Amino acid sequence: MDKEAKFMITCLIFAAICNSVSSDEWKATVVKSIDALVGSCVVVPCSFSHTGGNLPSSRLRAMWHYKGKTPDTKGNNIFHSDATLIKDSFKGRTRVVGDLGQNNCTLEITQIRNHDNGPFCFRVELVRTENNDPTKDMFSFVEDCVELNMLTKPAEPTLTQPMAATQGEPYTAICSVMHTCPTHVPTLTWNWKTERVIVYHRLIHSGNWETQSILTFIPEEKDDNRELTCTAGFNGGQTSSSKFTLNVKRIESYNHIIIPAVVGIGTALLFGIFCIFMAKKYKNRIAELQNQEGTMWNRLSRLSRRGRR
């Protein structure tokens, strides 16, 4: 083997070793699979890291491409920092919602079509800030790609409620629904007065989110056997709903006993006071008459004594 051949082999081995070391420095975390509702949207969580620390966004160029396809070709990219290199069927439907400078490569796809299943891989390239030309530092994370599980029907809301409602006492019902598009969260509506509704959004795991609506109201007797319905409206226009029948426990009313009793007692009390007042008045009148009679007798007695003299 001549010296030139040995030199070429040595260079290839060295390049392979350097490439291996270099690729080990870059790591990406991407969910392997995630549900996507056709006609709606999906957000694919993605993060990457470099042993040298964070790099500014101006030094990074992001792209998402089909696995096994060359990202330099226009038809292979579903997203590219250079919009002219995005596949036509994905133009205007994809964007990186994460901050590349914070090592966040999260991808959003809107208006999901039933053939958008992937798998898709993330690629990042370092560029020179002065002219935006790529450098030799570029990495495709082909071992960490995502595949979309197409859903033609949205998930139905889950209703959580106490077993029975009590008339006149606060009652709480909870409606929740799972989704994978936190940038366009589902709306939850009730077929009820919604003055007291609290809405929460929280991450469950691996790109799966939950939207929750908590309804509190005071049930009345007329609400017994009434259906309570929660409807979820998803980005893209699809809806789903769940419902249950409200059972209202009535509070026993003793008004038919209490009111007549109170009226009777009040009437008797008033009559008793009236009788006491009249008796006292009558007694005072008798005393006055007796006093008047005594005075008259005294006058007659004096007049009689004067006549005898």
Side-chain angles (χ1 to χ4, degrees), residues 3 11 14 34-35 37 50 70 75 102 108 144 148 228 241 277 305:
K3 293 183 179 180
C11 289
F14 179 76
I34 190 169
D35 292 337
L37 177 62
H50 185 271
T70 304
Q102 297 297 321
E108 178 197 63
D144 300 281
L148 306 186
L228 187 61
S241 61
F277 174 76
R305 287 196 293 271

Side-chain angles (χ1 to χ4, degrees), residues 26-259:
W26 290 81
K27 295 181 180 179
T29 302
V30 183
V31 293
K32 296 296 183 183
S33 65
I34 190 169
D35 292 337
L37 177 62
V38 175
S40 185
C41 55
V42 66
V43 173
V44 180
C46 171
S47 62
F48 65 101
S49 61
H50 185 271
T51 56
N54 293 340
L55 296 173
S57 298
S58 58
R59 291 286 314 280
L60 299 169
R61 175 184 292 173
M63 58 201 73
W64 282 84
H65 61 89
Y66 284 97
K67 184 176 183 178
K69 302 290 184 178
T70 304
D72 297 332
T73 304
K74 175 181 177 180
N76 297 335
N77 299 312
I78 66 169
F79 172 82
H80 199 290
S81 295
D82 183 353
T84 62
L85 297 178
I86 299 176
K87 186 176 180 179
D88 289 340
S89 61
F90 281 93
K91 282 186 176 180
R93 297 199 295 125
T94 57
R95 65 180 178 130
V96 171
V97 294
D99 184 353
L100 293 174
Q102 297 297 321
N103 297 337
N104 189 332
C105 46
T106 298
L107 173 72
E108 178 197 63
I109 307 175
T110 60
Q111 303 173 34
I112 293 293
R113 301 171 184 174
N114 55 14
H115 55 268
D116 292 343
N117 52 307
F120 307 119
C121 309
F122 175 65
R123 177 183 174 89
V124 64
E125 297 177 354
L126 270 66
V127 298
R128 297 183 178 90
T129 55
E130 58 272 12
N131 52 17
N132 205 34
D133 289 335
T135 66
K136 294 182 179 179
D137 293 322
M138 54 187 67
F139 304 89
S140 288
F141 302 101
V142 294
E143 301 299 324
D144 300 281
C145 304
V146 62
E147 190 166 0
L148 306 186
N149 303 318
M150 296 300 161
L151 302 178
T152 57
K153 295 182 180 181
E156 292 185 356
T158 299
L159 285 170
T160 305
Q161 77 284 339
M163 293 299 295
T166 301
Q167 177 185 347
E169 296 182 4
Y171 181 82
T172 298
I174 302 173
C175 178
S176 58
V177 69
M178 299 295 297
H179 64 95
T180 56
C181 189
T183 54
H184 300 84
V185 297
T187 58
L188 295 175
T189 56
W190 300 85
N191 66 332
W192 211 272
K193 294 180 180 180
T194 56
E195 289 85 355
R196 297 179 61 186
V197 172
I198 302 175
V199 178
Y200 294 101
H201 306 284
R202 61 172 181 160
L203 175 64
I204 302 301
H205 64 84
S206 305
N208 289 277
W209 291 74
E210 180 186 56
T211 296
Q212 186 179 85
S213 176
I214 303 176
L215 170 68
T216 302
F217 62 95
I218 306 296
E220 302 176 12
E221 183 178 353
K222 65 180 182 180
D223 297 325
D224 190 33
N225 292 322
R226 180 178 172 184
E227 284 190 345
L228 187 61
T229 303
C230 175
T231 302
F234 295 84
N235 172 261
Q238 293 201 59
T239 61
S240 62
S241 61
S242 295
K243 60 185 178 181
F244 70 93
T245 301
L246 186 66
N247 295 315
V248 179
K249 182 180 179 182
R250 297 176 178 82
I251 297 178
E252 292 295 336
S253 177
Y254 297 96
N255 291 340
H256 63 289
I257 299 175
I258 296 175
I259 293 177

